[in-house]
Structure formats: structure tokens, C-alpha cells
Amino acid sequence: MTKYLIVKKYIDEMDYFSLLSGGAPDDEFDSESQEISDKITDAHTVQDIASVIADVFNRTFNNNVAASFFADCAGKIYADLHVQR
């Protein structure tokens, strides 16, 4: 599975603001998933990934949510990326 597909899987699962479960199209978070995927590397920690997710979502949705909010999602992304080796 590509890095983008791993990121998309967990970003969609997180379903920020319950947009997907509320009827938004399946591609609702595709641009955010792509940006996150482009910014993270194997060298990033879970905390680094959570910070990237927070930066992208805070900018996109004009919020100020702490990176810790995204820690669970980031941990899943980190784990899958490191299993893929």
C-alpha cells in the first residue's frame, strides 16, 4: 500500500467533524491526505506526524486544534508505514 493510501485510510477513518458519516463525498479529505502524505517521511515520529496533520487540518478548517488530538490517527499511520518496510 502506498504512503498516500495509508494516510487516506486513517484520515478517512478519523472522519474530522464527522463529514463523511454526515454524507460528504468519499474524496472529502483527499487533498489533505495528499498534503500530509507529501510532508511526512520515515524519519518522522508519531508526534511529528500528529503535528503535520494538525497543521494541515487547522489551516484547511481554520481551527486551532492541538496536535495531541491527532495522536491516535498519527500512531496508526506511523505503524502502517513502518510495517510496509
Side-chain angles (χ1 to χ4, degrees):
M1 187 179 296
T2 67
K3 180 170 47 168
Y4 167 75
L5 290 176
I6 291 169
V7 170
K8 177 174 172 42
K9 174 182 175 181
Y10 293 114
I11 293 296
D12 285 355
E13 180 183 281
M14 180 180 65
D15 194 11
Y16 198 61
F17 286 136
S18 300
L19 294 176
L20 294 174
S21 62
D26 290 341
D27 65 353
E28 179 67 28
F29 300 117
D30 284 6
S31 62
E32 292 83 6
S33 296
Q34 185 65 60
E35 184 176 350
I36 293 162
S37 176
D38 290 345
K39 290 183 175 186
I40 61 175
T41 69
D42 287 343
H44 281 107
T45 65
V46 172
Q47 294 80 11
D48 294 334
I49 295 170
S51 292
V52 170
I53 297 169
D55 289 344
V56 170
F57 275 88
N58 284 333
R59 187 176 71 272
T60 301
F61 291 95
N62 198 27
N63 285 329
N64 191 23
V65 177
S68 60
F69 177 84
F70 301 99
D72 183 57
C73 180
K76 291 174 182 178
I77 291 169
Y78 178 90
D80 266 17
L81 288 176
H82 287 84
V83 167
Q84 295 295 318
R85 292 181 176 187

